[in-house]
Amino acid sequence: MDDLRLALLLNAVSPAVGGVLVRGEKGTAKSTAVRALAALMPDVDVVAGCRFSCAPGAPDPGCPDGPHEAAPGTARPARMVELPVGASEDRLVGALDIERALADGVKAFEPGLLADAHRGVLYVDEVNLLHDHLVDLLLDAAAMGASYVEREGVSVRHAARFLLVGTMNPEEGELRPQLLDRFGLTVEVAASREPEQRVEVVRRRLAYDDDPAAFAARWADEEAALRERIAAARALLPRVGLGDAALRQIAATCAAFEVDGMRADIVMARTATALAAWAGRADVREEDVRQAALLALPHRRRRNPFDAPGLDEDKLDETLERFGGDDRPDPDADPDPDPGTDPSGPDGGGGGGVPPQGQGPESGPPAEQPGPSESPAGQPEPSEPAGAPSADAGAGDRSAERAAEPFRTKVLSVPGLGEGAAGRRSRARTEHGRTTGARRPRGALTKLHLAATVQAAAPHQRARGRSGPGLVVRRDDLRQATREGREGNLVLFVVDASGSMAARRRMSSVKGAVLSLLLDAYQRRDKVGLVTFRGTGAEVALPPTSSVDAAAARLEELPTGGRTPLAAGLLKAHDVLRVERLRDPSRRPLLVVVTDGRATGARGGDALALAGRAARLHAAEGTAAVVVDCEAGPVRLGLAGNLARELGGTAVTLDELRADSIAGLVRDVRAATTGTDSTVRNRRAA
């Protein structure tokens, strides 16, 4: 927890650092540590009675509660405001009474959580699960330092400058890159594997449960000392000098690790300055720059969700040494005024961020294995003809092949209009998007359709005794705007891992295609699941989840070998979708079957017929489906196309899946269940 404590304390010293993102496994006291920060923050002076926490010396000229007269302020503890994942937009930014605004011309505004968090801390637990429209509002407020509430020409603005702190479990999905970059620092937290430390954690927890007051009193003196140290560091911060040598090291480090934009340079400079103030020094040293890099850069150097966050410390040290310069201060010339404030101590962290990327026992990709002997191009492998037992059934599994390089894919979408969670894949009725109509509000009015409201109120003006220019509006006249946007779907991958897929090194290309679709699912805010089939049955390699990097890891480890129980894979997928419909009925599924269409089973059985029956189960329930045809060679059996027709979907080859391919992909994944092969091909090209 040293890095976590250090990152939180640095933000207490200098809120300009920009907040902290805490990543870690479940049960590691992430939320407990963050909530403890509130007790250490210095008090805030505010204008008495102001709901927006204006500073007495410099009140916000546009404050909705203003203008404020010159008067001494009142001190209150700094607030830590928690934003629930399921909060509404009105709860976050505030609510404006549209009815009073239209009828009386009065801006009746109820502040939201952004107003409460002004000059304090805004904490989001499970920040990676926050809905996209709330993320957009957070990004706007963090960028502008203000919150705007606008409804049909009525606008309210107030200051909203806060310290953003978030916690998340990476297994449940990653953050959008824009929000990830808004966090100044990031730390990785994991439970200790040392028995003695775990014993002490349990001992303290039990002591707190037995007597919370006594436990708090036991640590009161240390908390008071920590609070005084934060105040002293804040007072010293304006006098800390950031020399040219340190600036060169910061710029060179950001350039060496190829981070995007300039925010990383600024955050590193502010963090290094705060580290020096925390150590009681008036100058920034190389160790401050190094620690700042370990906290500020890991999450900014990721290029896609499958990259593990981390920093190569050898490369970091080499860069700092190369650009150190001769004007670095001598550590012996300016001794630390407080020997007890060594940043490498228990409060200082000094630890080192996260382990260097690529140095863990499982960090390297599995070595490529030699493929099986190849059969003549375009011919079915002799070991596994369609509808017959596989010759390699019962043979040992082949080791996992490394996935080919991912590529940008065509857009696969579910037809029709859904009402699922906000995302970026299929058309849906949403709270955000283009306005398509109006209806009577169900519950609280959130998006007013002004024209429809006026049209509903206009016929009744004489009966309501209208005498002036104002429009007499009643609640029954209000109309809610209906909007169309995009939703996220459940993309369930059914991957053929049988022996035939390993022929001619085909599995590497297949994994690359699935990895590309996973990356697309991440960008479109989908849930994903993974079902694989080989040998004698199928298994759920990954239940539906928002963590696409977990799916990528399972895919990378996937071995191949054995028969091709296609029917078992489709039936297993049917079971998964049935359960998910009960859990989340509004999220529509998209079934992606990755196979060459072959099916094998017990000798004497018709495996292809069984697969067809399983496919028709999905078609009967209206499940949108795509078959990624992995068959290679000039001579094709067309079994994947037959499977697609049974599913009521469409087939696409690996080449057609690429966004830059010549062949176009059908926009809606469902295709007609009848028609000749030539008709299907024409529809693909449409």
Side-chain angles (χ1 to χ4, degrees):
M1 304 290 282
D2 288 342
D3 288 333
L4 172 57
R5 288 189 296 173
L6 178 61
L8 293 172
L9 291 169
L10 291 177
N11 277 275
V13 171
S14 176
V17 167
V20 186
L21 174 65
V22 187
R23 297 164 47 93
E25 58 195 28
K26 53 188 175 292
T28 48
K30 301 184 295 293
S31 301
T32 302
V34 171
R35 293 187 178 105
L37 178 65
L40 303 176
M41 298 284 287
D43 290 347
V44 177
D45 291 329
V46 298
V47 174
C50 178
R51 297 176 298 168
F52 301 89
S53 302
C54 283
D60 181 10
C63 177
D65 285 354
H68 299 297
E69 299 180 357
T74 60
R76 64 160 175 78
R79 291 174 179 162
M80 175 169 285
V81 178
E82 294 195 33
L83 171 61
V85 170
S88 66
E89 179 179 338
D90 287 346
R91 185 70 188 99
L92 178 62
V93 300
L96 188 63
D97 192 330
I98 298 296
E99 186 176 2
R100 290 190 61 191
L102 287 175
D104 305 328
V106 176
K107 293 183 180 179
F109 182 68
E110 184 67 27
L113 296 177
L114 290 179
D116 293 341
H118 179 48
R119 303 178 66 200
V121 179
L122 181 64
Y123 171 46
V124 188
D125 192 12
E126 306 293 350
V127 64
N128 51 324
L129 303 181
L130 200 63
H131 291 299
D132 273 358
H133 68 284
L134 297 182
V135 171
D136 293 337
L137 294 171
L138 275 182
L139 289 173
D140 290 342
M144 297 184 294
S147 175
Y148 292 85
V149 182
E150 299 191 18
R151 299 279 179 85
E152 304 296 343
V154 181
S155 177
V156 173
R157 174 211 165 274
H158 64 82
R161 291 182 295 275
F162 48 83
L163 185 65
L164 183 61
V165 180
T167 54
M168 61 174 283
N169 182 352
E171 294 178 355
E172 297 173 340
E174 289 291 345
L175 276 179
R176 282 171 51 183
Q178 298 95 327
L179 183 57
L180 187 64
D181 191 49
R182 283 292 172 186
F183 287 97
L185 311 178
T186 184
V187 291
E188 296 277 340
V189 177
S192 172
R193 299 299 185 259
E194 295 293 331
E196 291 303 319
Q197 292 186 10
R198 298 176 74 95
V199 166
E200 183 62 19
V201 169
V202 175
R203 182 181 291 119
R204 293 190 188 186
R205 176 68 203 194
L206 295 178
Y208 174 82
D209 291 340
D210 290 342
D211 192 344
F215 185 86
R218 174 186 171 189
W219 299 97
D221 291 342
E222 291 192 28
E223 283 199 352
L226 198 56
R227 204 175 296 113
E228 292 175 2
R229 184 176 171 188
I230 292 173
R234 278 197 171 190
L236 177 61
L237 186 65
R239 303 196 303 273
V240 175
L242 185 64
D244 290 342
L247 280 173
R248 280 196 301 271
Q249 288 180 318
I250 290 171
T253 301
C254 292
F257 286 99
E258 300 179 351
V259 296
D260 295 331
M262 295 297 298
R263 185 173 284 120
D265 304 63
I266 297 171
V267 171
M268 272 191 65
R270 290 171 174 167
T271 305
T273 304
L275 279 162
W278 178 247
R281 289 185 271 101
D283 59 277
V284 174
R285 300 179 181 175
E286 183 175 304
E287 58 263 32
D288 301 324
V289 176
R290 185 182 192 278
Q291 184 66 61
L294 292 170
L295 294 173
L297 296 188
H299 62 301
R300 290 188 165 89
R301 63 175 302 274
R302 300 180 73 191
R303 290 296 180 266
N304 63 63
F306 311 134
D307 292 339
L311 219 59
D312 186 338
E313 295 193 37
D314 292 336
K315 181 178 179 180
L316 174 61
D317 292 336
E318 180 183 343
T319 303
L320 294 176
E321 179 68 24
R322 179 181 176 188
F323 291 91
D326 297 328
D327 56 343
R328 285 175 290 177
D330 183 1
D332 297 328
D334 183 17
D336 190 334
D338 184 359
T341 59
D342 183 3
S344 63
D347 291 330
V354 296
Q357 194 175 11
Q359 296 184 11
E362 299 177 359
S363 59
E368 294 190 7
Q369 301 295 325
S373 57
E374 300 181 1
S375 61
Q379 298 297 326
E381 288 78 356
S383 61
E384 190 173 352
S390 172
D392 61 0
D397 293 337
R398 297 177 176 87
S399 59
E401 285 199 49
R402 186 177 182 180
E405 193 69 21
F407 52 84
R408 191 166 63 91
T409 66
K410 294 285 190 182
V411 179
L412 306 177
S413 61
V414 178
L417 197 62
E419 294 183 348
R424 298 180 179 180
R425 183 171 297 279
S426 304
R427 295 173 54 221
R429 297 183 185 91
T430 60
E431 288 294 321
H432 300 269
R434 64 185 183 91
T435 301
T436 57
R439 59 172 174 80
R440 291 182 181 274
R442 302 166 189 161
L445 179 71
T446 56
K447 297 291 182 182
L448 178 75
H449 195 295
L450 182 58
T453 299
V454 172
Q455 186 176 7
H460 308 290
Q461 296 305 295
R462 181 174 296 178
R464 294 173 183 174
R466 172 185 171 186
S467 58
L471 188 68
V472 181
V473 179
R474 294 181 179 172
R475 180 164 295 277
D476 290 343
D477 302 326
L478 299 178
R479 294 294 182 270
Q480 174 85 22
T482 58
R483 302 192 174 192
E484 182 179 311
R486 293 280 170 177
E487 68 176 358
N489 299 110
L490 167 60
V491 183
L492 181 62
F493 295 94
V494 182
V495 180
D496 184 348
S498 65
S500 67
M501 297 296 290
R504 292 189 291 274
R505 309 301 296 271
R506 194 186 308 169
M507 200 61 193
S508 177
S509 299
V510 169
K511 285 186 176 182
V514 178
L515 199 63
S516 304
L517 290 168
L518 283 171
L519 181 57
D520 181 70
Y522 163 75
Q523 295 169 341
R524 300 186 187 281
R525 315 302 292 171
D526 295 316
K527 290 179 69 174
V528 296
L530 179 62
V531 173
T532 64
F533 58 94
R534 64 189 179 91
T536 59
E539 64 174 351
V540 181
L542 183 71
T545 175
S546 296
S547 179
V548 294
D549 53 343
R554 300 291 174 87
L555 179 71
E556 193 71 26
E557 300 165 358
L558 181 65
T560 56
R563 292 190 176 96
T564 312
L566 177 57
L570 294 174
L571 291 174
K572 182 66 71 173
H574 184 268
D575 290 341
V576 171
L577 294 180
R578 178 179 54 80
V579 173
E580 284 301 307
R581 284 190 181 97
L582 297 176
R583 291 177 177 172
D584 191 357
S586 64
R587 188 181 290 269
R588 297 187 295 164
L590 173 61
L591 184 68
V592 179
V593 184
V594 185
T595 181
D596 56 9
R598 295 176 181 167
T600 58
R603 189 178 299 275
D606 192 344
L608 285 176
L610 290 175
R613 290 172 58 187
R616 289 191 290 275
L617 286 176
H618 291 279
E621 296 182 353
T623 302
V626 171
V627 177
V628 180
D629 185 358
C630 303
E631 193 173 26
V635 179
R636 297 174 180 267
L637 300 178
L639 297 177
N642 295 337
L643 177 62
R645 284 189 288 275
E646 296 281 9
L647 286 167
T650 189
V652 55
T653 66
L654 289 175
D655 289 337
E656 290 173 336
L657 192 61
R658 293 178 178 270
D660 54 357
S661 66
I662 298 176
L665 183 64
V666 183
R667 291 188 179 276
D668 288 335
V669 299
R670 293 189 67 189
T673 57
T674 60
T676 62
D677 290 346
S678 60
T679 302
V680 174
R681 286 194 295 271
N682 291 335
R683 286 177 178 169
R684 288 184 200 152

